[in-house]
Amino acid sequence: MPRFAANLTWLFQELPFMERFRAAKDAGFEGVEVLFPYDHPTQDMRDQLIFSRLSFVLMNCPPPNATGGPQGFAAVPGVEARFRRDFDRTLRFAQVLKPLHIHIMAGAAEGPEAEAVFIENLRWAVARAPRQSLTIEPINRIDMPGYFLADYDTAARVLDAVAAPNLALQFDAYHAHRITGDVMGTWAAHGHRARHVQVAGFPGRHEPLGGEIDYPAFFARLDADGYTGWVSGEYAPETVTGAGLAWIG
């Protein structure tokens, strides 16, 4: 079975944020991710990670206003300076939190100019942080209208253009199903590029149990393919988090 991580932005919301680390460990998780950790005391988070003996798997970049502001703009023409300034801010947080991966969000944009800007910003970022693993993630445009990176062929083209060892694919099975309707086929075509995996049920984006995505088969495929990265639960629990954790058993 894969190594499972808990997305603390989505899971254990019934608890105060700082209590979610220990709750994740007690529930059987060995790693956690936080999408936007910028509003919490950084050293307190690091202390919780150490105290709970958890790996910090992933955080997002850039640090936007997650309630109303743009969620990323690495592919948005005209704001390259803002992207680079905020990437440096993310790196300052990463110096303390030590995430395994930083997910660079493309933002809302379209067309060849946006792709060129995305590639150039990523080339700058991989050189700026050569020892940091960076990821890009296709996100469906139903959940995030206008998002630039909304298909796997574009992601493959961008990754090939940047061609950096510290940049890889972030594969979210929920988004893959929304985008292609075929998680297993999409993984077969693009899984070799993946360094991080996220899961949620479909429809509803609840626990990865039942529904339209055969997660036992998907996890078996990850094992068969030799995937050694983390699999993170990024979903909205139907009730309290602890009631729906059979998927990690």
Side-chain angles (χ1 to χ4, degrees):
M1 289 290 283
R3 294 182 297 166
F4 293 118
N7 184 306
L8 297 187
T9 303
W10 287 74
L11 303 188
F12 300 103
Q13 291 191 42
E14 60 271 17
L15 297 173
F17 178 75
M18 289 297 173
E19 295 180 18
R20 298 177 194 176
F21 295 85
R22 188 64 197 180
K25 181 68 173 183
D26 290 344
F29 292 103
E30 297 297 327
V32 295
E33 61 183 33
V34 179
L35 297 185
F36 298 105
Y38 305 96
D39 292 333
H40 304 286
T42 312
Q43 189 58 55
D44 288 355
M45 284 187 283
R46 183 64 188 163
D47 290 345
Q48 288 299 320
L49 289 164
I50 294 170
F51 174 75
S52 301
R53 300 186 302 280
L54 289 165
S55 297
F56 190 52
V57 179
L58 178 135
M59 60 189 284
N60 282 352
C61 169
N65 174 0
T67 56
Q71 293 211 14
F73 32 79
V76 180
V79 292
E80 292 87 344
R82 178 181 176 185
F83 167 75
R84 297 179 184 197
R85 183 172 62 250
D86 278 2
F87 183 79
D88 280 344
R89 183 182 174 213
T90 294
L91 292 182
R92 291 195 293 273
F93 277 78
Q95 286 177 352
V96 178
L97 294 173
K98 305 185 187 309
L100 181 61
H101 309 300
I102 294 174
H103 167 216
I104 296 180
M105 300 191 72
E110 61 181 350
E113 184 183 4
E115 183 168 328
V117 167
F118 194 33
I119 290 169
E120 188 57 33
N121 276 333
L122 290 171
R123 285 174 174 161
W124 177 87
V126 298
R128 189 73 165 177
R131 296 181 181 85
Q132 174 66 58
S133 172
L134 306 174
T135 64
I136 58 172
E137 175 193 13
I139 296 176
N140 79 83
R141 289 179 179 156
I142 297 172
D143 287 9
M144 196 169 289
Y147 196 74
F148 170 73
L149 190 60
D151 70 87
Y152 287 86
D153 288 341
T154 300
R157 193 165 60 244
V158 168
L159 289 169
D160 286 347
V162 178
N166 60 325
L167 179 68
L169 180 68
Q170 183 170 317
F171 187 95
D172 187 307
Y174 167 84
H175 287 300
H177 189 78
R178 277 275 196 201
I179 293 167
T180 71
D182 180 9
V183 171
M184 299 296 276
T186 306
W187 176 264
H190 299 283
H192 64 286
R193 302 176 183 275
R195 194 170 288 161
H196 185 59
V197 171
Q198 293 171 319
V199 295
F202 190 95
R205 204 170 185 178
H206 298 306
E207 285 82 355
L209 296 164
E212 297 180 18
I213 303 173
D214 186 347
Y215 275 112
F218 180 59
F219 294 154
R221 179 61 185 269
L222 295 183
D223 288 342
D225 288 350
Y227 174 75
T228 59
W230 292 89
V231 173
S232 182
E234 186 189 45
Y235 60 87
E238 289 206 71
T239 57
V240 295
T241 303
L245 294 179
W247 65 277
I248 69 171

